[in-house]
C-alpha cells in the first residue's frame, strides 16, 4: 500500500528517530551538538529532545524544497485534511495567513475581510500591499462578542466591490461561532473571488462529525490550520492547506519561502507528523471523549446562578450558522465580576490557566489533551468563585465590541509613512501608524491606516485598567501611539 494512503505512518518522525539512533558525530549546526553544549537546558528537557533538534540533511529532507520524508509527511497531511497540498509551517498560522493573502492578492488588489481578523491578516495586507474591504461581523450584544459574518452582508459588499480578488473568513471564531461558509464560497465562486480561511482554531473540525465542517470540506481555496492549538502538535507548528484551482501551488511555496526560516525546527515538524497521524487514526474516539467532557461541563456550569456557558443554543442567531462546542466560553457578568477578574482569580487562587478573557467572558479551550480531572477542576473552581467572589450588582452591558473603523490609507502605506508620537488620550482623529490589540486574542482595536476614535481610546483605557496585555505599540505600556504625520522618524 502506498504510504500516502496509510495514515498510521509518520515518515518524518520515523526518519528523525532513525537518525538519532545512528549516533552520527555532528560537525554541522546546531551548535549545541546534541545537547552537550547546553548542559543545564539538556538536563531539564532530556537528551532525546536535543538529539532530535537537527539541521536539514539528506536523510530528513528540507522544508524549503521537500523531496523526501517531509514531502511524504505533507502528502499524508493533505490527504488527512482533505486538501490537494499541505505545507508545514514553523512560524505558526501567522505565516500561513500571510502567505494566503500574498498568494491571492497583488499590490492594489482588494480583499474582503471581517474586522475581527487576527493581527496576522493585517500583516498580510502590509506584505501583499492589498487593500482591505472590511465587512462587519455580527455582534451578540448580550455576550459582548463578535460572531461570524452573514451571507447578506457578503452579498452586499461584493455588490459594492465586484473587483475584489479574495475574501478572508474565520472558521470558527475564537469563541466558537461559524459563518455559513458553504454559501459564502458559492457566492464567491460566482464572482471569481478566491476564498481564504483562517482556521487557526479549527484543526480538529475535520475529524469528528460533531463539529462544524472544515474549510476544505466546504470547498475553500486555502486555509491555515493551527495544529498546535487544537490538534496536539507543538506550539508554533501549523499547516497551510490548498485546493488546486484559483491559486497556483508554486506561488504559495514561493511566498512561504520568502517568509519562513531555511532552518525549520524538526521538533515542530515531527510533532505535526505525529499529530496528523493521531487525528486521522484516533480523532473520532478522542473527540467523542472531548465533546462528552465539554457538554457535561456546560451543563454543570449552567446550574450555577450567575454563570452562563454558551453553546449550540446560539445557532440561528445572527452570525452563528454553527458552533464549535470545544470552545467553552463562560459569561460571568451576572456575578458582578468582569471576565478579566475571573481570569486572574482562576490562575492566582486555583492554578487554572484559561485561554483568554474579555470584559464579560472567559474562554477555556477543551481539546485532545484534556481529561475529566482537569475539566472537573475548572467547573469546581467556577462554582467556588461564584460563591466566594460574587458582588451584588452585575456588570452592566455596554458596547464591548468596536464597529468597523474608517480606513483612510492602506495598511502598507501607513506602515511605511512618516510618523509622530502622541499620547493615547490625544490621539482621537489621528490616523494610526501601528496596531493596538489585547493579546490574546490578537484582534487589533486599531490597525495602521485607520482613524483613531474616542471609542477605541476608551476601550484601550478599559483594557489597561484591567491590566490586560496590550501589544502592537512601540510603547510597551501603550501610553503613547505612533500616528501618521511629520515628526520623529519613519516606520
Amino acid at each position: 500500500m502506498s504510504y500516502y494512503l496509510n495514515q498510521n505512518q509518520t515518515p518524518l518522525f520515523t526518519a528523525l528517530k532513525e537518525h538519532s539512533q545512528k549516533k552520527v558525530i555532528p560537525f554541522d549546526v546546531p551548535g549545541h551538538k546534541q545537547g552537550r553544549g547546553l548542559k543545564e537546558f539538556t538536563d531539564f528537557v532530556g537528551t532525546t529532545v536535543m538529539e532530535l533538534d537537527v539541521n536539514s540533511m539528506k536523510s530528513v529532507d528540507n522544508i524549503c524544497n521537500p523531496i523526501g520524508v517531509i514531502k511524504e509527511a505533507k502528502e499524508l497531511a493533505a490527504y488527512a485534511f482533505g486538501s490537494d497540498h499541505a505545507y508545514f509551517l514553523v512560524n505558526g498560522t501567522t505565516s500561513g495567513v500571510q502567505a494566503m493573502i500574498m498568494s491571492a492578492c497583488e499590490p492594489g488588489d482588494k480583499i474582503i475581510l471581517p474586522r475581527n481578523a487576527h493581527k496576522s491578516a493585517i500583516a498580510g495586507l502590509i506584505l501583499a500591499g492589498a487593500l482591505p474591504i472590511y465587512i462587519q461581523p455580527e455582534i451578540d450584544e448580550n455576550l459582548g462578542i463578535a460572531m461570524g459574518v452573514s451571507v447578506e452582508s457578503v452579498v452586499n459588499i461584493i455588490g459594492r466591490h465586484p473587483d475584489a480578488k479574495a475574501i478572508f473568513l474565520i472558521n470558527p471564531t475564537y469563541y466558537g461561532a461559524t459563518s455559513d461558509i458553504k454559501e459564502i464560497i458559492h457566492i464567491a465562486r460566482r464572482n471569481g473571488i478566491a476564498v481564504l480561511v483562517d482556521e487557526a482554531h479549527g484543526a480538529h473540525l475535520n475529524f469528528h462529525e460533531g463539529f462544524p465542517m472544515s474549510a476544505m470540506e466546504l470547498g475553500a481555496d486555502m486555509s491555515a490550520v493551527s495544529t498546535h492549538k487544537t490538534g496536539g502538535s507543538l506550539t508554533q507548528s501549523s499547516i497551510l492547506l490548498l485546493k488546486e484551482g484559483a491559486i497556483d501551488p508554486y506561488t504559495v511555496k514561493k511566498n512561504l519561502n520568502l517568509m519562513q526560516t531555511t532552518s525549520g525546527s524538526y521538533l515542530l515538524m515531527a510533532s505535526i507528523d505525529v499529530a496528523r497521524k493521531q487525528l486521522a487514526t484516533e480523532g473520532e474516539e478522542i473527540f467523542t471523549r472531548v465533546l462528552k467532557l465539554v457538554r457535561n461541563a456546560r451543563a454543570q456550569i449552567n446550574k450555577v446562578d450567575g454563570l452562563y456557558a454558551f453553546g449550540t443554543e446560539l445557532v440561528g442567531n445572527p452570525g452563528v450558522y454553527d458552533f464549535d462546542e470545544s470552545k467553552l466560553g463562560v459569561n460571568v457578568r451576572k456575578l458582578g465580576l468582569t471576565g478579566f477578574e475571573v481570569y486572574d482569580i482562576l490562575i492566582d487562587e486555583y492554578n487554572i490557566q484559561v485561554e483568554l478573557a474579555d470584559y464579560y467572558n472567559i474562554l477555556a479551550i477543551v481539546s485532545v489533551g484534556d481529561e475529566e480531572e482537569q475539566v472537573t477542576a475548572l467547573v469546581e473552581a467556577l462554582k467556588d468563585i461564584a460563591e466566594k467572589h460574587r458582588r451584588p450588582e452585575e456588570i452592566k452591558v455596554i458596547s464591548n465590541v468596536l464597529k468597523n473603523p474608517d480606513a483612510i490609507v492602506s495598511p502598507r502605506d501607513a506602515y511605511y509613512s512618516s510618523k509622530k508620537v502622541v499620547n493615547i488620550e490625544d490621539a482621537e482623529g489621528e490616523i494610526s501608524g501601528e496596531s493596538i490589540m489585547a493579546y490574546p486574542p490578537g484582534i487589533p482595536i486599531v490597525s495602521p491606516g485607520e482613524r483613531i476614535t474616542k471609542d477605541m481610546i476608551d476601550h484601550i483605557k478599559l483594557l489597561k485598567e484591567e491590566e490586560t496585555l496590550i501589544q502592537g505599540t512601540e510603547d510597551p505600556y501603550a501610553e503613547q501611539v505612533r500616528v501618521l504625520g511629520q515628526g520623529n522618524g519613519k516606520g
Side-chain angles (χ1 to χ4, degrees):
M1 180 181 292
S2 300
Y3 74 86
Y4 58 84
L5 295 178
N6 185 356
Q7 292 292 326
N8 283 293
Q9 292 197 25
T10 53
L12 176 55
F13 182 52
T14 299
L16 205 55
K17 289 191 293 183
E18 290 173 352
H19 172 78
S20 175
Q21 290 163 3
K22 290 178 182 177
K23 303 300 179 184
V24 171
I25 299 172
F27 283 98
D28 60 349
V29 297
H32 62 68
K33 302 299 174 80
Q34 300 170 348
R36 294 186 298 274
L38 197 64
K39 192 173 187 306
E40 181 181 355
F41 186 76
T42 302
D43 288 346
F44 183 75
V45 302
T47 56
T48 300
V49 170
M50 305 304 283
E51 288 173 356
L52 297 184
D53 184 37
V54 300
N55 189 35
S56 300
M57 62 190 80
K58 188 180 295 185
S59 62
V60 291
D61 209 356
N62 186 293
I63 189 173
C64 296
N65 187 39
I67 57 174
V69 290
I70 294 178
K71 178 176 181 289
E72 293 176 8
K74 286 169 50 182
E75 289 173 350
L76 278 163
Y79 188 79
F81 283 88
S83 65
D84 295 317
H85 300 272
Y87 305 84
F88 283 8
L89 307 175
V90 293
N91 193 31
T93 297
T94 289
S95 60
V97 167
Q98 293 167 354
M100 285 197 297
I101 294 173
M102 292 176 70
S103 299
C105 298
E106 296 180 352
D109 284 346
K110 294 179 181 178
I111 178 171
I112 298 166
L113 71 164
R115 190 52 186 77
N116 61 328
H118 188 263
K119 68 173 186 174
S120 58
I122 308 303
L125 297 177
I126 293 170
L127 291 168
L131 304 177
I133 307 298
Y134 289 125
I135 184 170
Q136 179 65 45
E138 300 295 322
I139 307 299
D140 186 311
E141 296 291 352
N142 181 54
L143 296 176
I145 56 178
M147 298 301 190
V149 297
S150 71
V151 171
E152 292 76 15
S153 61
V154 170
V155 170
N156 290 337
I157 206 159
I158 290 177
R160 296 198 304 273
H161 299 276
D163 55 339
K165 289 294 181 69
I167 183 169
F168 181 91
L169 302 169
I170 304 168
N171 187 52
T173 65
Y174 230 126
Y175 282 104
T178 73
S179 307
D180 187 354
I181 290 182
K182 184 175 182 179
E183 181 60 23
I184 293 171
I185 289 172
H186 180 66
I187 294 164
R189 287 276 180 274
R190 289 203 314 257
N191 290 273
I193 295 173
V195 179
L196 317 176
V197 181
D198 178 352
E199 217 158 48
H201 291 272
H204 55 295
L205 298 183
N206 205 51
F207 302 98
H208 196 284
E209 61 182 12
F211 295 126
M213 294 180 73
S214 71
M216 288 294 103
E217 289 178 287
L218 294 168
D221 294 295
M222 296 187 76
S223 68
V225 176
S226 292
T227 49
H228 72 94
K229 283 186 169 70
T230 62
S233 65
L234 293 180
T235 295
Q236 204 172 312
S237 61
S238 296
I239 300 177
L240 181 61
L241 303 170
L242 169 69
K243 281 201 170 177
E244 288 193 9
I247 297 172
D248 176 32
Y250 171 71
T251 299
V252 179
K253 177 182 176 182
K254 176 182 67 175
N255 287 323
L256 280 174
N257 284 343
L258 186 68
M259 294 182 294
Q260 282 212 116
T261 177
T262 56
S263 304
S265 166
Y266 281 84
L267 289 168
L268 299 185
M269 290 187 287
S271 76
I272 297 173
D273 200 20
V274 178
R276 180 271 314 153
K277 171 190 172 182
Q278 179 175 268
L279 291 170
T281 61
E282 303 174 44
E284 184 74 21
E285 177 185 349
I286 290 170
F287 291 118
T288 295
R289 172 178 55 80
V290 166
L291 284 169
K292 181 179 179 181
L293 286 173
V294 78
R295 286 168 180 168
N296 180 63
R298 272 195 177 86
Q300 294 298 313
I301 292 168
N302 284 331
K303 292 177 182 177
V304 180
D305 182 42
L307 295 179
Y308 170 39
F310 48 92
T312 54
E313 74 282 353
L314 298 178
V315 173
N317 289 357
V320 190
Y321 179 77
D322 206 345
F323 190 85
D324 174 11
E325 294 182 71
S326 71
K327 309 298 186 291
L328 182 56
V330 183
N331 188 275
V332 299
R333 67 178 184 83
K334 290 189 177 181
L335 294 181
L337 300 169
T338 69
F340 300 116
E341 290 175 308
V342 174
Y343 177 101
D344 287 340
I345 293 169
L346 280 168
I347 188 63
D348 293 342
E349 298 186 19
Y350 300 90
N351 206 32
I352 293 175
Q353 179 67 60
V354 293
E355 174 68 9
L356 62 83
D358 61 41
Y359 200 61
Y360 301 130
N361 311 285
I362 60 165
L363 175 67
I365 293 177
V366 185
S367 195
V368 294
D370 285 301
E371 297 176 353
E372 186 172 0
E373 179 182 354
Q374 290 78 37
V375 177
T376 298
L378 173 62
V379 172
E380 293 303 315
L382 289 172
K383 290 179 180 178
D384 205 40
I385 290 169
E387 181 178 338
K388 293 179 178 178
H389 295 274
R390 183 191 303 270
R391 295 192 186 118
E393 292 189 13
E394 65 184 56
I395 301 295
K396 288 187 171 67
V397 176
I398 58 174
S399 180
N400 189 43
V401 181
L402 299 171
K403 301 298 190 289
N404 282 352
D406 292 329
I408 308 303
V409 301
S410 75
R412 187 186 184 102
D413 287 345
Y415 183 82
Y416 286 108
S417 293
S418 294
K419 301 176 184 70
K420 61 184 180 181
V421 176
V422 299
N423 291 329
I424 193 73
E425 292 86 354
D426 303 324
E428 183 178 353
E430 301 280 3
I431 301 170
S432 182
E434 54 190 357
S435 293
I436 307 176
M437 72 205 77
Y439 200 93
I443 297 169
I445 299 162
V446 62
S447 291
E450 297 172 354
R451 193 177 299 283
I452 298 172
T453 65
K454 184 178 183 301
D455 285 345
M456 291 174 180
I457 295 170
D458 290 344
H459 191 68
I460 292 164
K461 287 180 177 178
L462 175 65
L463 292 172
K464 290 172 65 177
E465 287 171 5
E466 297 292 340
E467 299 183 350
T468 303
L469 180 62
I470 304 292
Q471 289 193 5
T473 51
E474 180 183 13
D475 174 9
Y477 304 102
E479 299 290 341
Q480 296 180 318
V481 60
R482 293 172 71 84
V483 299
L484 269 58
Q486 294 298 322
N488 41 12
K490 280 193 170 186

